[in-house]
Every structure is written in structure tokens, then in C-alpha cells.
Amino acid sequence: MAQVLEFKLPDLGEGLTEATIVSWLVSVGDVVAVDQPVVEVETAKAMVEVPCPYGGVVTARFGDEGAELPVGAALLTVAVGAESAGAVHGGAVSVASAPPLESAAQEKSSGSGNVLVGYGTSAAPARRRRVRPTVATGVPERREPRHAEPPAPTPAVPAAVPVEERVVGPVAVISPLVRRLAREHGLDLRELTGSGRDGLILRSDVERAVAERSAVPATTAAPATAAAPTATAAPVATPALAEPAPHAPQGHRTPLRGIRGAIADKLSRSRTEIPDATCWVDADATELLHARAAMNAATGPSAGPKISVLALFARICTAALARYPELNATVDMARREIVRLDQVHLGFAAQTERGLVVPVVRDAHTRGAESLSAEFARLTDKARTGTLTPGELTGGTFTLNNYGVFGVDGSTPIINHPEAAMLGVGRIAAKPWVREGELAVRQVVQLSLTFDHRVCDGGTAGGFLRYVADCVEQPAVLLRSL
């Protein structure tokens, strides 16, 4: 008899507690191989394709696209073994007990070699329980007689289900907000026709139904009250139908979840916990740009990969942190200690279609401009494609924020908690500048430093920023630290 194994959402690492289903890569009835990706999920860190550690036939899926699942929640069930064809029957699936020793050994030998944090394939679940059908989360489970064996795989919702049972089946709703709105107004979602793709019920469909229901009592209230005022008083005054005003603006609401929710939580925590301050200075970046042009134009033995402006600022940052290590720190309030960090893991802000992410360049203090430039390019490409791993998005000790790419001069950025400082770089633009007593047009950039006032005072922050500006204006200053 086939073993029907339940695959749960694994711990994807870095303390993540939930993930949102972006798209299913398999359907019920599909045959999957060990380590085959079965679902794409979005965490607060990145988009991840989750591989299944079992090989067999998919008998059930749990959760619609757009649903948020906690770590440990069931993702799907897979019938493993020669009799996988009989694993599904009447929409109910039984999760088998632990297999015999030889079966377990076989499963272990053919197990996954691509194990994520929190799950593996060396053993099957050691309990028996009933799990819900694939998508029909509302269909009651029906226990069949033991002698009834299906001749072939059947869908999770069989064609023979009576019409009255289909009424209590799945509802084409993804958004929890839509469900809550319908519940608050006493609407049965099964009575609505969705206007979205494939009949998906949208918030506008619910609001339209609420408006239609509230309009009916309004037109009939007068005669009903005249005939029996005491009997009709209660229904007319129903609060759920008498409050269309809050929904009148018809604004679009976006749930704070996934990467957007993570950004909101982290920035809110930073503003709440960190007493930050900002100082800034204008610097003449003309000589820095000349130095970069000379490096990129080099030929022969001196030639090499192109160096980016961001890489030069990163190299200046690491040199400044070596002089002012107080800013490469974090605060441990539980022990009331300032923790000065030995390694510089440099984060840089990158805007993507999914939102703001901060990839981290590991051991930036050991890298030169060429290595930094290559790593920035690699991480930026992964950020744009949504393939950054949680490990590439965490562990930063200092952040470089190049908001100049948006065409702005200055900003007071929010510190990336739990770091202690962030250097902001504005656009480099031609401006009038006094140089050696003469007015000239130079390439000027505004630099800002936002720092945690708990780790240092203004003198340290000002010294750091002034050193950065000196290196920008006179790149030869960096020769001292080579």
C-alpha cells in the first residue's frame, strides 16, 4: 500500500515564521521527483522555490495562491510507493503511519539531497490523522469503507459529489481582507459572482453586494415602519448595513505582508528604538570621477573590470570605519552594552519591483574597489530577479544608501536596525564651486550620515563624515590606508 506523506512548509532560515504562496508549480495528480520544486513562496527576505523531499503522486495541495502560511503548516501530500494510484479517494487523504523498516530504508536511500532548514526525507511522519482535501477546504471529510479501493487516481473533489455538497465547497477568494469584509457585513461569499480572473471574488464585488443590500431596506423602510414599527425597527438599524460611509472612498488596500510587511516592521522598530541624528556635507567629487575614469581607461597590465562609483564610495566607507570603528557597532539593550564589530559587512540599498531590499557584501573591509564592484553587480542582479537568499539579505553592520540614483540631492535615511549608522550619497551634479579662490563648475555631491546617538557623539560622526568627504575630494588620501 502506498504511503501518503505530508510535506510541511519548512523553516527557510533566518528566523522567518511565515511565507506567502506566489504560485503552485504542480497540480493534484502530477508525478513529482525528489527535490523537484513544487511551490514558489515569498518570504520577508526573498522569493524561494521550495523543493519537495518526496517522490510520488501529489494527492492534495493546501492553500491558494496569495495565501499566507506559517512555518510548519501543510503544503501538500504525496503518495509514495507502487500503489500511489490509490492514494486519493473521495477527496479525503489518510496520512500513513511510519513505514516498515525496509520501506523506511528505501525512502532514506532515495531521499532528498537538497534539504532546506527544518525538513528532510529520512523518515515519514509517525502519526495517523485526517487531512483536508486539496482545494475544497469546506467539503466535509467522508470516511469510505475499507473494502472500497478506487481503480485509478481521481481528483481531490470527485465528479460524483452531489450538487448540494458542492455549495459548501471552495470559494474563489484569495485575500483575507475580502473574507473579513464579507464576514463583517454578514455576506455569504458563495452567493457572489467574482469579477476577477477565473471568477475570483474581489473586494469591489463584496462592496457592491453590501451597497445593494443596504439599498433594499432603504427603499422599503417607510411602508414597513407604518405597518409594524416595532417589528421593523431592529432590522432597519442594523449597524453592518448602516455604515457604508467608511467604504465610500473606494480606496485600494494592500496588506502589509511579505517583503512590504518586513520593511514596515523593521523601519518602525528602528524609529522606535534608535535615537538617531543626521549630519551632512557637500563635497567636490570631480577628482574622484577623474580617478575612476583613469582606472576604467587603463590598458595593458593595468587593465581590469570596470569600477563603479558605488564601489569607490564603499571603499571610502571601509577606510573611514577603520578610523572610526564606533560606527561599525550595534547596541545590546538587554545587557546594556555597545557591541563594536570586527568585520564590516556592508549593506547597500537596492530598489526592486518587490520593494526595497538591502543585500550585504560580506567582509567588505578586506575587498578592493574591483572586488567590491563585482560583488555589487552580482547582488544587484540577484535583487532584480528576486533570487537573493536570506543569508545575502541579513547580517549587515553598516549600510551605504545611494539615493542619488533617484535624482535627489539629500535625505535623512532611517537606520537599518540593528546597525548603528548609514551613509547616504546624493546625486553628483554640476554646480558652482569655489576652488582655490576661483569660482568654477565642479561635480558636487551631498553626503549625509545618520547615526545612533547611543554609540557615539557628534564629534565622532562629524569626523567620520569629514574623512569621507576628504577622500571624495582628494582620492589620494586613500593611499595612506593601502
Side-chain angles (χ1 to χ4, degrees):
M1 180 178 179
Q3 300 292 327
V4 181
L5 306 179
E6 184 181 79
F7 173 41
K8 298 179 180 180
L9 177 65
D11 177 2
L12 300 175
E14 301 297 337
L16 300 175
T17 58
E18 67 276 326
T20 300
I21 297 176
V22 176
S23 62
W24 283 103
L25 307 180
V26 296
S27 301
V28 173
D30 287 354
V31 177
V32 296
V34 172
D35 287 341
Q36 176 180 333
V38 293
V39 64
E40 184 179 32
V41 300
E42 180 185 52
T43 70
K45 303 295 183 183
M47 302 275 280
V48 180
E49 286 188 352
V50 181
C52 180
Y54 309 123
V57 178
V58 177
T59 58
R61 299 185 322 192
F62 305 108
D64 299 321
E65 294 181 356
E68 187 173 74
L69 298 179
V71 169
L75 273 177
L76 48 77
T77 54
V78 179
V80 179
E83 299 180 13
S84 297
V88 183
H89 185 69
V93 180
S94 293
V95 179
S97 303
L101 294 178
E102 57 272 17
S103 175
Q106 179 182 0
E107 176 65 24
K108 183 174 182 180
S109 64
S110 61
S112 168
N114 184 20
V115 180
L116 292 178
V117 178
Y119 74 92
T121 59
S122 58
R127 68 182 188 276
R128 174 185 291 271
R129 71 180 186 89
R130 305 286 290 183
V131 296
R132 55 183 175 175
T134 310
V135 185
T137 55
V139 178
E141 297 177 333
R142 301 171 58 190
R143 298 183 182 272
E144 301 292 338
R146 286 188 173 273
H147 63 273
E149 290 291 334
T154 58
V157 181
V161 175
V163 174
E164 58 272 19
E165 291 191 19
R166 291 182 185 274
V167 176
V168 295
V171 181
V173 178
I174 289 179
S175 171
L177 176 64
V178 173
R179 293 184 182 276
R180 186 179 67 183
L181 187 61
R183 185 169 60 251
E184 290 175 351
H185 290 276
L187 289 177
D188 185 352
L189 288 171
R190 297 178 182 83
E191 298 176 356
L192 303 185
T193 300
S195 59
R197 183 179 177 181
D198 297 327
L200 183 68
I201 299 175
L202 308 177
R203 182 184 176 187
S204 58
D205 299 324
V206 176
E207 291 175 339
R208 189 181 306 111
V210 171
E212 291 173 356
R213 283 186 55 174
S214 60
V216 174
T219 56
T220 59
T225 304
T230 56
T232 57
V236 170
T238 302
L241 301 179
E243 296 179 351
H247 306 290
Q250 300 293 326
H252 177 72
R253 291 173 178 254
T254 303
L256 277 176
R257 63 186 184 190
I259 191 169
R260 190 75 253 166
I263 293 172
D265 293 341
K266 194 156 193 176
L267 296 184
S268 297
R269 184 177 182 184
S270 179
R271 275 292 191 227
T272 301
E273 295 184 10
I274 299 178
D276 59 348
T278 302
C279 54
W280 55 90
V281 66
D282 290 340
D284 179 4
T286 307
E287 296 303 322
L288 183 68
L289 296 181
H290 287 168
R292 173 176 176 261
M295 285 187 285
N296 290 341
T299 58
S302 300
K306 301 297 183 182
I307 304 299
S308 66
V309 174
L310 186 62
L312 294 179
F313 276 104
R315 181 65 188 89
I316 293 172
C317 257
T318 57
L321 288 172
R323 286 192 167 226
Y324 298 92
E326 298 92 332
L327 293 169
N328 192 53
T330 187
V331 177
D332 184 352
M333 288 303 295
R335 301 180 61 176
R336 298 192 64 82
E337 294 176 345
I338 297 173
V339 183
R340 188 177 298 178
L341 305 170
D342 298 326
Q343 288 80 30
V344 177
H345 302 313
L346 188 65
F348 66 99
Q351 191 69 38
T352 70
E353 293 182 357
R354 298 175 61 237
L356 179 68
V357 294
V358 184
V360 177
V361 177
R362 301 287 168 183
D363 299 315
H365 60 293
T366 65
R367 299 174 182 264
E370 189 174 301
S371 174
L372 288 167
S373 189
E375 187 67 356
F376 281 137
R378 184 185 74 84
L379 292 173
T380 299
D381 183 64
K382 294 190 70 174
R384 288 171 179 165
T385 56
T387 56
L388 286 166
T389 65
E392 291 170 327
L393 287 164
T394 54
T397 64
F398 187 94
T399 296
L400 178 61
N401 188 356
N402 181 23
Y403 45 75
V405 296
F406 303 117
V408 298
D409 294 322
S411 174
T412 55
I414 300 175
I415 295 174
N416 187 21
H417 185 280
E419 298 170 13
M422 175 185 293
L423 178 67
V425 181
R427 64 172 179 162
I428 301 176
K431 294 182 180 180
W433 189 266
V434 177
R435 182 171 183 266
E436 298 179 353
E438 299 289 337
L439 188 63
V441 177
R442 305 288 286 181
Q443 299 296 318
V444 179
V445 62
Q446 185 179 102
L447 307 171
S448 65
L449 177 71
T450 299
F451 64 99
D452 185 341
H453 226 311
R454 295 174 299 179
V455 303
C456 69
D457 296 323
T460 300
F464 174 93
L465 190 59
R466 186 64 257 172
Y467 178 80
V468 170
D470 289 345
C471 291
V472 169
E473 294 182 342
Q474 305 173 57
V477 171
L478 282 175
L479 294 175
R480 291 179 176 270
S481 59
L482 292 180

